[in-house]
Amino acid sequence: MKNLAINGGPRAIEGVLPSFRDTTGRTFGKAESDYLREVMESGRLSFLTGPKTAAFERRWAETYGVKHAVAAANGTAALHTAVVYLNPEPGDEIILSPITDAGTVIPILSQLAIPVFADVDPLTQNMAPASIERNITPRTRAIIVTHVYGHPADMDAILSLARKHKLFIIEDCAQAHLATYKGRLCGTIGDIGCFSFQQSKHMTTGDGGMVISNDDGRFGRGLRHCSDKGWPRERGGRDHLFLAPNYHMTELQAAVGLGQLEQLDSFVTNRVCAADRLTELLADIEVQPVLPLNDTKGVYFFYSFRLDPGKLTAPVADIIKALVAEGIDGFIGYPGPIPLYRYPVVRDHKTFGNSGLPFTLVGARRDDFNSALCPEAEKACRETVCMWWNDRFEERHLQQMAEAIGKVVSAYRA
Ligand SMILES: Cc1ncc(COP(=O)(O)O)c(C=O)c1O
């Protein structure tokens, strides 16, 4: 134990690892600068007068081979746009994972729909189809499928449930840029796909998002109108057809997005290569990496691994402190040490004033958001180490990370 950095020993990782937080781990090239300059020199910072947002949407649609791509202010906005498009009745239910960002549940609550949490598969930490099925009721309208850590969920099983129960599938690809399931790009497998370009994502515009779909308005609403105040601008004049937020992306974000998209393939390839190499280096260490399913391409938003508390002399939270002291950029569990439903917004219905809406709607489903709700998600949050991942990791970084993990895990082995 003496040689652990947390006890004053030498750190396994020299210096700091490349990080999404700054230029150590974010690559902005000449294209981003040129496009940004064009926007500034044109004086056209809004999509209403400038061409960059439309160009970014076009390129994203081409990359994904879809008919519609609508840029949004951020990933939560993209998901909210998708839920506005679905137009649920208040009290309708939408199934989601407890292992995801708050940005997945906020749109559901904002539209007065009820979030219903399906438990996860212990290996992938994506929603388990059997748990989804158990949670389907006559009021279920949709499933939001988060491909967590960038690893595709079990889409064949989920699609077959959707077909059987006539459910709409929203893919939350905020962590899954260019991930594929059986050769198909995530975001194009369900009915609608949502992306985030927040600072930590595979590519970034600071904040930003995108919604894609091949759907032509089956719920009587145009996708673009769902993030534009319900406004059918293409008809000319001013009209507001239904309640919808304003989630425009700016031309500044789109300028950066266009440049980043040119590099996205190499960002993703580098992340995956680095992750595969770390998995090799960890082969003899008692940790269980969270890996993509067979026949899928997972794109490693985080590199996550499970620890078995029964085989350790200290709680996982303490092990993580020791790892951080060695220089690892990581934390316990996703979205944290507890699943999403145990945060006050969901658990205590901290929504609209003191109304408790939508949970207090007459006839609405009322789950107890306690630790008994999704046992596998509870365990996963307690036992998983998530490491921020980066396309700039080199062999020396990966060697040092493996050394740090090996050193700490063996020091705490029971
Ligand atoms: C899985 C998932 N869903 C939704 C979001 C929300 O995206 P944003 O932070 O861009 O609003 C994020 C981003 O953190 C995410 O990781």
PDB file of all heavy atoms in Angstrom, residues 73-77 79 99-104 146-148 172-175 195-198 200-201 207-209 301 334, ligand 1:
ATOM      1  N   ALA A  73     -29.677  23.463 -30.026  1.00  0.00           N
ATOM      2  CA  ALA A  73     -28.765  24.191 -29.136  1.00  0.00           C
ATOM      3  C   ALA A  73     -27.885  23.266 -28.302  1.00  0.00           C
ATOM      4  O   ALA A  73     -26.774  23.625 -27.916  1.00  0.00           O
ATOM      5  CB  ALA A  73     -29.587  25.090 -28.203  1.00  0.00           C
ATOM      6  N   ASN A  74     -28.382  22.082 -27.993  1.00  0.00           N
ATOM      7  CA  ASN A  74     -27.623  21.112 -27.185  1.00  0.00           C
ATOM      8  C   ASN A  74     -28.312  19.753 -27.291  1.00  0.00           C
ATOM      9  O   ASN A  74     -29.348  19.632 -27.970  1.00  0.00           O
ATOM     10  CB  ASN A  74     -27.531  21.576 -25.721  1.00  0.00           C
ATOM     11  CG  ASN A  74     -28.887  21.860 -25.119  1.00  0.00           C
ATOM     12  OD1 ASN A  74     -29.711  20.965 -24.985  1.00  0.00           O
ATOM     13  ND2 ASN A  74     -29.143  23.129 -24.796  1.00  0.00           N
ATOM     14  N   GLY A  75     -27.753  18.757 -26.618  1.00  0.00           N
ATOM     15  CA  GLY A  75     -28.304  17.406 -26.726  1.00  0.00           C
ATOM     16  C   GLY A  75     -29.653  17.267 -26.033  1.00  0.00           C
ATOM     17  O   GLY A  75     -30.542  16.548 -26.512  1.00  0.00           O
ATOM     18  N   THR A  76     -29.826  17.955 -24.905  1.00  0.00           N
ATOM     19  CA  THR A  76     -31.115  17.918 -24.205  1.00  0.00           C
ATOM     20  C   THR A  76     -32.185  18.524 -25.107  1.00  0.00           C
ATOM     21  O   THR A  76     -33.302  18.010 -25.200  1.00  0.00           O
ATOM     22  CB  THR A  76     -31.014  18.716 -22.884  1.00  0.00           C
ATOM     23  OG1 THR A  76     -29.880  18.243 -22.156  1.00  0.00           O
ATOM     24  CG2 THR A  76     -32.262  18.566 -22.036  1.00  0.00           C
ATOM     25  N   ALA A  77     -31.828  19.608 -25.772  1.00  0.00           N
ATOM     26  CA  ALA A  77     -32.756  20.269 -26.703  1.00  0.00           C
ATOM     27  C   ALA A  77     -33.111  19.329 -27.856  1.00  0.00           C
ATOM     28  O   ALA A  77     -34.268  19.282 -28.301  1.00  0.00           O
ATOM     29  CB  ALA A  77     -32.131  21.552 -27.237  1.00  0.00           C
ATOM     30  N   LEU A  79     -33.202  16.046 -27.767  1.00  0.00           N
ATOM     31  CA  LEU A  79     -34.135  15.042 -27.237  1.00  0.00           C
ATOM     32  C   LEU A  79     -35.508  15.657 -26.964  1.00  0.00           C
ATOM     33  O   LEU A  79     -36.538  15.026 -27.193  1.00  0.00           O
ATOM     34  CB  LEU A  79     -33.556  14.421 -25.954  1.00  0.00           C
ATOM     35  CG  LEU A  79     -32.431  13.414 -26.207  1.00  0.00           C
ATOM     36  CD1 LEU A  79     -31.548  13.264 -24.972  1.00  0.00           C
ATOM     37  CD2 LEU A  79     -33.003  12.059 -26.602  1.00  0.00           C
ATOM     38  N   ILE A  99     -29.470   4.708 -16.466  1.00  0.00           N
ATOM     39  CA  ILE A  99     -28.036   5.006 -16.613  1.00  0.00           C
ATOM     40  C   ILE A  99     -27.881   5.916 -17.827  1.00  0.00           C
ATOM     41  O   ILE A  99     -27.606   5.478 -18.946  1.00  0.00           O
ATOM     42  CB  ILE A  99     -27.214   3.701 -16.717  1.00  0.00           C
ATOM     43  CG1 ILE A  99     -27.409   2.911 -15.418  1.00  0.00           C
ATOM     44  CG2 ILE A  99     -25.752   3.983 -16.988  1.00  0.00           C
ATOM     45  CD1 ILE A  99     -26.400   1.838 -15.155  1.00  0.00           C
ATOM     46  N   THR A 100     -28.108   7.169 -17.584  1.00  0.00           N
ATOM     47  CA  THR A 100     -28.024   8.168 -18.651  1.00  0.00           C
ATOM     48  C   THR A 100     -27.933   9.539 -18.006  1.00  0.00           C
ATOM     49  O   THR A 100     -28.035   9.677 -16.780  1.00  0.00           O
ATOM     50  CB  THR A 100     -29.235   8.077 -19.607  1.00  0.00           C
ATOM     51  OG1 THR A 100     -29.043   8.987 -20.696  1.00  0.00           O
ATOM     52  CG2 THR A 100     -30.554   8.422 -18.911  1.00  0.00           C
ATOM     53  N   ASP A 101     -27.775  10.542 -18.830  1.00  0.00           N
ATOM     54  CA  ASP A 101     -27.695  11.924 -18.366  1.00  0.00           C
ATOM     55  C   ASP A 101     -29.106  12.460 -18.047  1.00  0.00           C
ATOM     56  O   ASP A 101     -30.103  11.975 -18.600  1.00  0.00           O
ATOM     57  CB  ASP A 101     -27.073  12.754 -19.502  1.00  0.00           C
ATOM     58  CG  ASP A 101     -26.888  14.206 -19.150  1.00  0.00           C
ATOM     59  OD1 ASP A 101     -25.973  14.510 -18.374  1.00  0.00           O
ATOM     60  OD2 ASP A 101     -27.669  15.046 -19.651  1.00  0.00           O
ATOM     61  N   ALA A 102     -29.171  13.467 -17.204  1.00  0.00           N
ATOM     62  CA  ALA A 102     -30.461  14.097 -16.895  1.00  0.00           C
ATOM     63  C   ALA A 102     -31.124  14.631 -18.158  1.00  0.00           C
ATOM     64  O   ALA A 102     -32.349  14.763 -18.229  1.00  0.00           O
ATOM     65  CB  ALA A 102     -30.266  15.227 -15.900  1.00  0.00           C
ATOM     66  N   GLY A 103     -30.311  14.905 -19.176  1.00  0.00           N
ATOM     67  CA  GLY A 103     -30.841  15.407 -20.445  1.00  0.00           C
ATOM     68  C   GLY A 103     -31.781  14.434 -21.139  1.00  0.00           C
ATOM     69  O   GLY A 103     -32.487  14.815 -22.069  1.00  0.00           O
ATOM     70  N   THR A 104     -31.805  13.181 -20.696  1.00  0.00           N
ATOM     71  CA  THR A 104     -32.733  12.213 -21.296  1.00  0.00           C
ATOM     72  C   THR A 104     -34.109  12.291 -20.631  1.00  0.00           C
ATOM     73  O   THR A 104     -35.132  12.059 -21.265  1.00  0.00           O
ATOM     74  CB  THR A 104     -32.181  10.778 -21.183  1.00  0.00           C
ATOM     75  OG1 THR A 104     -30.795  10.785 -21.505  1.00  0.00           O
ATOM     76  CG2 THR A 104     -32.902   9.826 -22.117  1.00  0.00           C
ATOM     77  N   THR A 146     -30.845   5.025 -24.831  1.00  0.00           N
ATOM     78  CA  THR A 146     -29.508   5.630 -24.737  1.00  0.00           C
ATOM     79  C   THR A 146     -28.473   4.552 -25.030  1.00  0.00           C
ATOM     80  O   THR A 146     -28.514   3.474 -24.435  1.00  0.00           O
ATOM     81  CB  THR A 146     -29.275   6.191 -23.317  1.00  0.00           C
ATOM     82  OG1 THR A 146     -30.197   7.251 -23.085  1.00  0.00           O
ATOM     83  CG2 THR A 146     -27.849   6.718 -23.160  1.00  0.00           C
ATOM     84  N   HIS A 147     -27.572   4.842 -25.950  1.00  0.00           N
ATOM     85  CA  HIS A 147     -26.455   3.917 -26.204  1.00  0.00           C
ATOM     86  C   HIS A 147     -25.334   4.354 -25.260  1.00  0.00           C
ATOM     87  O   HIS A 147     -24.467   5.159 -25.621  1.00  0.00           O
ATOM     88  CB  HIS A 147     -26.006   4.008 -27.658  1.00  0.00           C
ATOM     89  CG  HIS A 147     -27.103   3.689 -28.644  1.00  0.00           C
ATOM     90  ND1 HIS A 147     -27.656   2.431 -28.763  1.00  0.00           N
ATOM     91  CD2 HIS A 147     -27.753   4.467 -29.545  1.00  0.00           C
ATOM     92  CE1 HIS A 147     -28.591   2.435 -29.705  1.00  0.00           C
ATOM     93  NE2 HIS A 147     -28.670   3.671 -30.190  1.00  0.00           N
ATOM     94  N   VAL A 148     -25.389   3.811 -24.046  1.00  0.00           N
ATOM     95  CA  VAL A 148     -24.530   4.393 -23.014  1.00  0.00           C
ATOM     96  C   VAL A 148     -23.056   4.022 -23.203  1.00  0.00           C
ATOM     97  O   VAL A 148     -22.759   2.927 -23.698  1.00  0.00           O
ATOM     98  CB  VAL A 148     -25.045   4.026 -21.592  1.00  0.00           C
ATOM     99  CG1 VAL A 148     -24.636   2.629 -21.152  1.00  0.00           C
ATOM    100  CG2 VAL A 148     -24.616   5.088 -20.578  1.00  0.00           C
ATOM    101  N   ASP A 172     -31.002   7.898 -28.226  1.00  0.00           N
ATOM    102  CA  ASP A 172     -30.179   8.941 -27.587  1.00  0.00           C
ATOM    103  C   ASP A 172     -28.719   8.594 -27.889  1.00  0.00           C
ATOM    104  O   ASP A 172     -28.127   7.740 -27.241  1.00  0.00           O
ATOM    105  CB  ASP A 172     -30.467   8.949 -26.080  1.00  0.00           C
ATOM    106  CG  ASP A 172     -29.550   9.885 -25.312  1.00  0.00           C
ATOM    107  OD1 ASP A 172     -28.685  10.530 -25.939  1.00  0.00           O
ATOM    108  OD2 ASP A 172     -29.692   9.953 -24.077  1.00  0.00           O
ATOM    109  N   CYS A 173     -28.194   9.255 -28.919  1.00  0.00           N
ATOM    110  CA  CYS A 173     -26.830   8.981 -29.389  1.00  0.00           C
ATOM    111  C   CYS A 173     -25.876  10.054 -28.899  1.00  0.00           C
ATOM    112  O   CYS A 173     -24.844  10.311 -29.537  1.00  0.00           O
ATOM    113  CB  CYS A 173     -26.800   8.940 -30.914  1.00  0.00           C
ATOM    114  SG  CYS A 173     -27.963   7.786 -31.616  1.00  0.00           S
ATOM    115  N   ALA A 174     -26.207  10.687 -27.776  1.00  0.00           N
ATOM    116  CA  ALA A 174     -25.357  11.762 -27.263  1.00  0.00           C
ATOM    117  C   ALA A 174     -23.930  11.277 -27.017  1.00  0.00           C
ATOM    118  O   ALA A 174     -22.985  12.057 -27.043  1.00  0.00           O
ATOM    119  CB  ALA A 174     -25.959  12.327 -25.974  1.00  0.00           C
ATOM    120  N   GLN A 175     -23.779   9.958 -26.774  1.00  0.00           N
ATOM    121  CA  GLN A 175     -22.443   9.403 -26.510  1.00  0.00           C
ATOM    122  C   GLN A 175     -22.014   8.446 -27.624  1.00  0.00           C
ATOM    123  O   GLN A 175     -21.047   7.702 -27.437  1.00  0.00           O
ATOM    124  CB  GLN A 175     -22.476   8.634 -25.176  1.00  0.00           C
ATOM    125  CG  GLN A 175     -22.940   9.472 -24.006  1.00  0.00           C
ATOM    126  CD  GLN A 175     -22.877   8.739 -22.682  1.00  0.00           C
ATOM    127  OE1 GLN A 175     -22.525   7.557 -22.612  1.00  0.00           O
ATOM    128  NE2 GLN A 175     -23.188   9.445 -21.598  1.00  0.00           N
ATOM    129  N   PHE A 195     -28.328  13.714 -31.008  1.00  0.00           N
ATOM    130  CA  PHE A 195     -26.898  13.799 -30.724  1.00  0.00           C
ATOM    131  C   PHE A 195     -26.594  15.026 -29.872  1.00  0.00           C
ATOM    132  O   PHE A 195     -27.349  15.996 -29.890  1.00  0.00           O
ATOM    133  CB  PHE A 195     -26.104  13.901 -32.038  1.00  0.00           C
ATOM    134  CG  PHE A 195     -26.248  12.684 -32.895  1.00  0.00           C
ATOM    135  CD1 PHE A 195     -27.348  12.534 -33.724  1.00  0.00           C
ATOM    136  CD2 PHE A 195     -25.305  11.673 -32.840  1.00  0.00           C
ATOM    137  CE1 PHE A 195     -27.502  11.391 -34.490  1.00  0.00           C
ATOM    138  CE2 PHE A 195     -25.442  10.522 -33.622  1.00  0.00           C
ATOM    139  CZ  PHE A 195     -26.555  10.384 -34.441  1.00  0.00           C
ATOM    140  N   SER A 196     -25.462  14.961 -29.176  1.00  0.00           N
ATOM    141  CA  SER A 196     -24.964  16.110 -28.403  1.00  0.00           C
ATOM    142  C   SER A 196     -23.560  16.451 -28.891  1.00  0.00           C
ATOM    143  O   SER A 196     -22.766  15.546 -29.189  1.00  0.00           O
ATOM    144  CB  SER A 196     -24.919  15.751 -26.916  1.00  0.00           C
ATOM    145  OG  SER A 196     -24.122  16.684 -26.212  1.00  0.00           O
ATOM    146  N   PHE A 197     -23.267  17.741 -28.945  1.00  0.00           N
ATOM    147  CA  PHE A 197     -21.898  18.190 -29.267  1.00  0.00           C
ATOM    148  C   PHE A 197     -21.336  19.002 -28.113  1.00  0.00           C
ATOM    149  O   PHE A 197     -20.590  19.961 -28.295  1.00  0.00           O
ATOM    150  CB  PHE A 197     -21.905  19.029 -30.553  1.00  0.00           C
ATOM    151  CG  PHE A 197     -22.574  18.357 -31.711  1.00  0.00           C
ATOM    152  CD1 PHE A 197     -23.621  18.972 -32.383  1.00  0.00           C
ATOM    153  CD2 PHE A 197     -22.168  17.096 -32.132  1.00  0.00           C
ATOM    154  CE1 PHE A 197     -24.254  18.354 -33.449  1.00  0.00           C
ATOM    155  CE2 PHE A 197     -22.795  16.455 -33.199  1.00  0.00           C
ATOM    156  CZ  PHE A 197     -23.843  17.098 -33.861  1.00  0.00           C
ATOM    157  N   GLN A 198     -21.729  18.624 -26.918  1.00  0.00           N
ATOM    158  CA  GLN A 198     -21.247  19.294 -25.705  1.00  0.00           C
ATOM    159  C   GLN A 198     -19.729  19.077 -25.598  1.00  0.00           C
ATOM    160  O   GLN A 198     -19.172  18.184 -26.246  1.00  0.00           O
ATOM    161  CB  GLN A 198     -22.059  18.709 -24.524  1.00  0.00           C
ATOM    162  CG  GLN A 198     -21.740  19.193 -23.154  1.00  0.00           C
ATOM    163  CD  GLN A 198     -20.838  18.215 -22.443  1.00  0.00           C
ATOM    164  OE1 GLN A 198     -20.578  17.129 -22.930  1.00  0.00           O
ATOM    165  NE2 GLN A 198     -20.328  18.634 -21.305  1.00  0.00           N
ATOM    166  N   SER A 200     -17.558  17.590 -23.935  1.00  0.00           N
ATOM    167  CA  SER A 200     -16.874  16.306 -23.698  1.00  0.00           C
ATOM    168  C   SER A 200     -17.122  15.267 -24.782  1.00  0.00           C
ATOM    169  O   SER A 200     -16.565  14.171 -24.719  1.00  0.00           O
ATOM    170  CB  SER A 200     -17.334  15.719 -22.360  1.00  0.00           C
ATOM    171  OG  SER A 200     -18.714  15.385 -22.425  1.00  0.00           O
ATOM    172  N   LYS A 201     -17.953  15.579 -25.777  1.00  0.00           N
ATOM    173  CA  LYS A 201     -18.387  14.549 -26.720  1.00  0.00           C
ATOM    174  C   LYS A 201     -17.324  14.276 -27.806  1.00  0.00           C
ATOM    175  O   LYS A 201     -16.313  14.959 -27.872  1.00  0.00           O
ATOM    176  CB  LYS A 201     -19.719  14.959 -27.343  1.00  0.00           C
ATOM    177  CG  LYS A 201     -20.831  15.089 -26.289  1.00  0.00           C
ATOM    178  CD  LYS A 201     -20.987  13.816 -25.482  1.00  0.00           C
ATOM    179  CE  LYS A 201     -22.214  13.715 -24.630  1.00  0.00           C
ATOM    180  NZ  LYS A 201     -22.360  14.659 -23.536  1.00  0.00           N
ATOM    181  N   ASP A 207     -21.537  23.695 -26.790  1.00  0.00           N
ATOM    182  CA  ASP A 207     -22.821  23.033 -26.631  1.00  0.00           C
ATOM    183  C   ASP A 207     -23.361  22.865 -28.040  1.00  0.00           C
ATOM    184  O   ASP A 207     -22.980  23.609 -28.946  1.00  0.00           O
ATOM    185  CB  ASP A 207     -23.795  23.898 -25.816  1.00  0.00           C
ATOM    186  CG  ASP A 207     -23.742  23.584 -24.328  1.00  0.00           C
ATOM    187  OD1 ASP A 207     -23.833  22.384 -23.980  1.00  0.00           O
ATOM    188  OD2 ASP A 207     -23.603  24.517 -23.529  1.00  0.00           O
ATOM    189  N   GLY A 208     -24.278  21.933 -28.219  1.00  0.00           N
ATOM    190  CA  GLY A 208     -24.847  21.753 -29.547  1.00  0.00           C
ATOM    191  C   GLY A 208     -25.543  20.417 -29.626  1.00  0.00           C
ATOM    192  O   GLY A 208     -25.339  19.548 -28.767  1.00  0.00           O
ATOM    193  N   GLY A 209     -26.386  20.264 -30.627  1.00  0.00           N
ATOM    194  CA  GLY A 209     -27.094  18.999 -30.791  1.00  0.00           C
ATOM    195  C   GLY A 209     -27.631  18.850 -32.195  1.00  0.00           C
ATOM    196  O   GLY A 209     -27.576  19.791 -32.999  1.00  0.00           O
ATOM    197  N   PHE A 301     -17.397   6.576 -25.311  1.00  0.00           N
ATOM    198  CA  PHE A 301     -17.485   7.930 -24.754  1.00  0.00           C
ATOM    199  C   PHE A 301     -16.659   7.957 -23.466  1.00  0.00           C
ATOM    200  O   PHE A 301     -15.754   8.786 -23.312  1.00  0.00           O
ATOM    201  CB  PHE A 301     -18.942   8.312 -24.508  1.00  0.00           C
ATOM    202  CG  PHE A 301     -19.080   9.633 -23.814  1.00  0.00           C
ATOM    203  CD1 PHE A 301     -18.527  10.774 -24.363  1.00  0.00           C
ATOM    204  CD2 PHE A 301     -19.754   9.732 -22.608  1.00  0.00           C
ATOM    205  CE1 PHE A 301     -18.635  12.006 -23.708  1.00  0.00           C
ATOM    206  CE2 PHE A 301     -19.877  10.956 -21.955  1.00  0.00           C
ATOM    207  CZ  PHE A 301     -19.310  12.086 -22.512  1.00  0.00           C
ATOM    208  N   TYR A 334     -22.208   6.019 -13.520  1.00  0.00           N
ATOM    209  CA  TYR A 334     -22.825   6.982 -14.426  1.00  0.00           C
ATOM    210  C   TYR A 334     -24.331   6.872 -14.311  1.00  0.00           C
ATOM    211  O   TYR A 334     -24.852   5.783 -14.365  1.00  0.00           O
ATOM    212  CB  TYR A 334     -22.377   6.740 -15.868  1.00  0.00           C
ATOM    213  CG  TYR A 334     -22.846   7.829 -16.784  1.00  0.00           C
ATOM    214  CD1 TYR A 334     -22.260   9.090 -16.723  1.00  0.00           C
ATOM    215  CD2 TYR A 334     -23.903   7.624 -17.645  1.00  0.00           C
ATOM    216  CE1 TYR A 334     -22.723  10.116 -17.532  1.00  0.00           C
ATOM    217  CE2 TYR A 334     -24.360   8.655 -18.450  1.00  0.00           C
ATOM    218  CZ  TYR A 334     -23.774   9.894 -18.391  1.00  0.00           C
ATOM    219  OH  TYR A 334     -24.225  10.909 -19.182  1.00  0.00           O
TER     220      TYR A 334
HETATM  221  C1  LIG B   1     -26.574  10.039 -22.836  1.00  0.00           C
HETATM  222  C2  LIG B   1     -26.794  11.515 -22.840  1.00  0.00           C
HETATM  223  N1  LIG B   1     -28.016  11.993 -23.103  1.00  0.00           N
HETATM  224  C3  LIG B   1     -28.267  13.312 -23.157  1.00  0.00           C
HETATM  225  C4  LIG B   1     -27.268  14.241 -22.934  1.00  0.00           C
HETATM  226  C5  LIG B   1     -27.610  15.695 -22.961  1.00  0.00           C
HETATM  227  O1  LIG B   1     -26.798  16.412 -23.832  1.00  0.00           O
HETATM  228  P1  LIG B   1     -26.396  17.948 -23.514  1.00  0.00           P
HETATM  229  O2  LIG B   1     -25.505  17.942 -22.331  1.00  0.00           O
HETATM  230  O3  LIG B   1     -25.733  18.377 -24.777  1.00  0.00           O
HETATM  231  O4  LIG B   1     -27.656  18.679 -23.264  1.00  0.00           O
HETATM  232  C6  LIG B   1     -25.973  13.791 -22.674  1.00  0.00           C
HETATM  233  C7  LIG B   1     -24.852  14.743 -22.467  1.00  0.00           C
HETATM  234  O5  LIG B   1     -24.296  14.943 -21.470  1.00  0.00           O
HETATM  235  C8  LIG B   1     -25.731  12.395 -22.611  1.00  0.00           C
HETATM  236  O6  LIG B   1     -24.509  11.930 -22.355  1.00  0.00           O
END
